[in-house]
Amino acid sequence: MTELPNWFLQVGAPAIFESHLSSKKGEEIHCLQVGAYTGDASAWLMENILTNPKSTLTDVDPWLGSDEVQHHAIDWNEVEQAYDAQTSSYVASGRIIKKKMTSDEFFATKDSEIFYDFIYIDGSHEAVPVLKDGMNAVEALKVGGILAFDDYTWDQGKGPAYNPQHAIIAIANCYSNRFKVLEQSYQVWLIKTS
């Protein structure tokens, strides 16, 4: 198996996660992650924040990659195997719920009675899918919950339709009456106020 990049560590995400989620450590919370990749963020969350045995993380990913230069050289079967190796004990215990599907499929079939305390959007880098994920996440998030987007400054160099930033700005602006911005760096973190 080839060495797969740990983008979660490379961008310094653990420090950002720690600063916004540490107050929830030990509480019973339920989280959703769109785009799980090798499970680096999943494992970190389970070990550092979701320590309450009733806490859960739902991971949504089709494990297919996308049409990006960085993804072309990656074997996505290996990515999923790495995810499974890193999360198998949590999946077996029911604390991680693995959903191998697109985010569109997930949100279309999600139980409308289920709401999350934290949602992390790290799936597609194209603006329209990020916008759809963000809008779906707004409705699936509890009041007081946190919505975070990765890759805010990521740029494919192909124009705004191929970058997450404009979609994230649109979500923050369109829902500014319901959210407060907690952080705007490589990631954007919002808290739902109403």
Side-chain angles (χ1 to χ4, degrees), residues 20-62:
H20 297 297
L21 296 176
S22 60
S23 64
K24 301 200 179 290
K25 183 174 183 175
E27 293 179 14
E28 180 185 343
I29 62 170
H30 302 281
C31 306
L32 170 65
Q33 178 176 220
V34 174
Y37 185 55
T38 58
D40 297 319
S42 308
W44 189 92
L45 280 166
M46 298 310 291
E47 291 160 15
N48 294 280
I49 304 298
L50 304 180
T51 54
N52 184 306
K54 293 183 178 175
S55 291
T56 62
L57 171 63
T58 301
D59 276 338
V60 178
D61 200 313

Side-chain angles (χ1 to χ4, degrees), residues 17-185:
F17 273 54
E18 183 72 36
S19 69
H20 297 297
L21 296 176
S22 60
S23 64
K24 301 200 179 290
K25 183 174 183 175
E27 293 179 14
E28 180 185 343
I29 62 170
H30 302 281
C31 306
L32 170 65
Q33 178 176 220
V34 174
Y37 185 55
T38 58
D40 297 319
S42 308
W44 189 92
L45 280 166
M46 298 310 291
E47 291 160 15
N48 294 280
I49 304 298
L50 304 180
T51 54
N52 184 306
K54 293 183 178 175
S55 291
T56 62
L57 171 63
T58 301
D59 276 338
V60 178
D61 200 313
W63 284 278
L64 297 173
S66 64
D67 187 24
E68 296 173 24
V69 174
Q70 298 94 322
H71 288 189
H72 292 170
I74 293 176
D75 180 334
W76 287 86
N77 289 321
E78 285 188 7
V79 172
E80 186 178 9
Q81 289 167 16
Y83 171 88
D84 289 339
Q86 200 161 193
T87 62
S88 60
S89 64
Y90 297 116
V91 171
S93 70
R95 297 198 50 228
I96 287 183
I97 300 118
K98 178 184 177 185
K99 297 283 190 178
K100 187 175 180 177
M101 58 179 60
T102 67
S103 55
D104 286 345
E105 291 167 331
F106 172 76
F107 284 116
T109 57
K110 181 188 94 57
D111 182 338
S112 62
E113 302 299 309
I114 295 175
F115 295 92
Y116 298 96
D117 300 281
F118 171 59
I119 300 177
Y120 184 49
I121 307 292
D122 187 20
S124 174
H125 288 143
E126 293 188 11
V128 170
V130 173
L131 185 63
K132 289 198 308 192
D133 287 343
M135 291 174 69
N136 283 320
V138 165
E139 301 310 324
L141 189 68
K142 294 177 183 173
V143 173
I146 293 173
L147 172 58
F149 293 89
D150 194 34
D151 303 306
Y152 177 67
T153 58
W154 189 90
D155 190 345
Q156 252 194 103
K158 290 165 60 177
Y162 297 92
N163 301 329
Q165 188 172 84
H166 294 283
I168 297 168
I169 290 169
I171 293 292
N173 287 339
C174 292
Y175 295 98
S176 60
N177 59 333
R178 297 172 67 188
F179 282 85
K180 186 175 108 185
V181 178
L182 298 175
E183 166 135 357
Q184 186 173 325
S185 58

